[in-house]
Amino acid sequence: QSALTQPASVSGSPGQSITISCTGTSSDVGSYNLVSWYQQHPGKAPKLMIYEGSKRPSGVSNRFSGSKSGNTASLTISGLQAEDEADYYCCSYAGSRWGVFGGGTKLTVL
Amino acid sequence: QITLKESGPTLVKPTQTLTLTCTFSGFSLSTSGVGVGWIRQPPGKALEWLALIYWDDDKRYSPSLKSRLTITKDTSKNQVVLIMTNMDPVDTATYYCAHTHTVTPAFGFDFWGQGTLVTVSS
């Protein structure tokens, strides 16, 4: 299995919205609505932000939303805040109780 | 509340075997649907799923590392152990263990340990 494809970096100004894409194949993203998204600040463990494509765990801001179209999943952050600056990773279920991560995207808040 | 913590050596020599232990609390690995996974992250690089063990003792491994990995659980001790053989400098990374569930968060990892940095060097 190959890693899912994410843009290396995205940026936006405070208050704006940004979208991070995560492209897989018909064997992972395209076959299951089981994409999760993680936020990771430097030196910290990843934090689950979205699961099952669009669900937010308790405590995660509703500024974070997830969607999917075909083999590509997306994470949208609206009303960008300075604290959103971090690395973001997608992960998709790929069948047989296994999954695959994306290569990560660095979000810069200008 | 759910917590996980990784423990093991911080420095191993090339060709040696790495043994990491994940000690957790707040859930049981005998509960249907529960899984504990190991994920690593080389410095400045992406996350990589290594291995995962489920409540029913089903074990899954990264296809590229399968020959070098063994994952086991001790339900009575609330521990999951990962063994990686024939360590190489490219295996230098922070190793995380994390909790998942087949229903919610449906194979997402909702709780993570703090991670442990393992350096492979002679």
Side-chain angles (χ1 to χ4, degrees):
Chain A
Q1 284 158 330
S2 299
L4 306 176
T5 301
Q6 299 180 233
S9 63
V10 299
S11 63
S13 299
Q16 287 186 331
S17 294
I18 63 95
T19 297
I20 299 172
S21 62
C22 169
T23 301
T25 70
S26 57
S27 298
D28 39 61
V29 176
S31 288
Y32 308 95
N33 201 22
L34 294 175
V35 173
S36 51
W37 288 90
Y38 302 86
Q39 177 191 65
Q40 186 181 34
H41 288 109
K44 300 294 187 182
K47 175 185 176 184
L48 179 67
M49 306 301 284
I50 296 286
Y51 67 97
E52 283 186 61
S54 61
K55 296 182 180 180
R56 285 186 305 275
S58 174
V60 172
S61 170
N62 59 10
R63 297 185 300 105
F64 291 83
S65 62
S67 62
K68 189 188 90 166
S69 177
N71 294 339
T72 298
S74 298
L75 173 71
T76 297
I77 308 174
S78 59
L80 263 184
Q81 300 179 0
E83 68 211 49
D84 300 331
E85 184 163 296
D87 293 327
Y88 290 84
Y89 293 91
C90 62
C91 182
S92 176
Y93 183 68
S96 300
R97 292 182 167 182
W98 189 247
V100 60
F101 279 101
T105 298
K106 181 178 180 61
L107 169 62
T108 300
V109 180
L110 302 170
Chain B
Q1 89 267 23
I2 290 176
T3 64
L4 304 98
K5 188 173 185 179
E6 306 87 353
S7 59
T10 58
L11 179 66
V12 298
K13 291 180 167 51
T15 75
Q16 285 188 337
T17 294
L18 171 68
T19 300
L20 292 173
T21 301
C22 175
T23 303
F24 56 85
S25 63
F27 67 95
S28 172
L29 241 184
S30 60
T31 300
S32 179
V34 173
V36 172
W38 285 95
I39 301 104
R40 72 177 178 180
Q41 185 173 38
K45 295 189 177 181
L47 300 169
E48 179 183 17
W49 202 338
L50 296 178
L52 204 154
I53 190 165
Y54 290 92
W55 83 99
D56 57 2
D57 210 37
D58 186 24
K59 302 165 186 177
R60 302 287 163 168
Y61 297 101
S62 165
S64 61
L65 294 168
K66 185 174 184 177
S67 64
R68 299 173 52 205
L69 295 173
T70 303
I71 189 170
T72 60
K73 64 182 174 71
D74 187 330
T75 305
S76 64
K77 292 183 178 179
N78 281 352
Q79 291 181 332
V80 171
V81 173
L82 180 74
I83 297 171
M84 181 180 289
T85 62
N86 194 24
M87 294 291 286
D88 183 271
V90 300
D91 297 313
T92 294
T94 296
Y95 287 75
Y96 296 99
C97 63
H99 167 277
T100 187
H101 196 286
T102 56
V103 176
T104 300
F107 300 97
F109 293 106
D110 51 357
F111 295 94
W112 293 66
Q114 63 191 24
T116 185
L117 176 61
V118 178
T119 301
V120 184
S121 174
S122 55

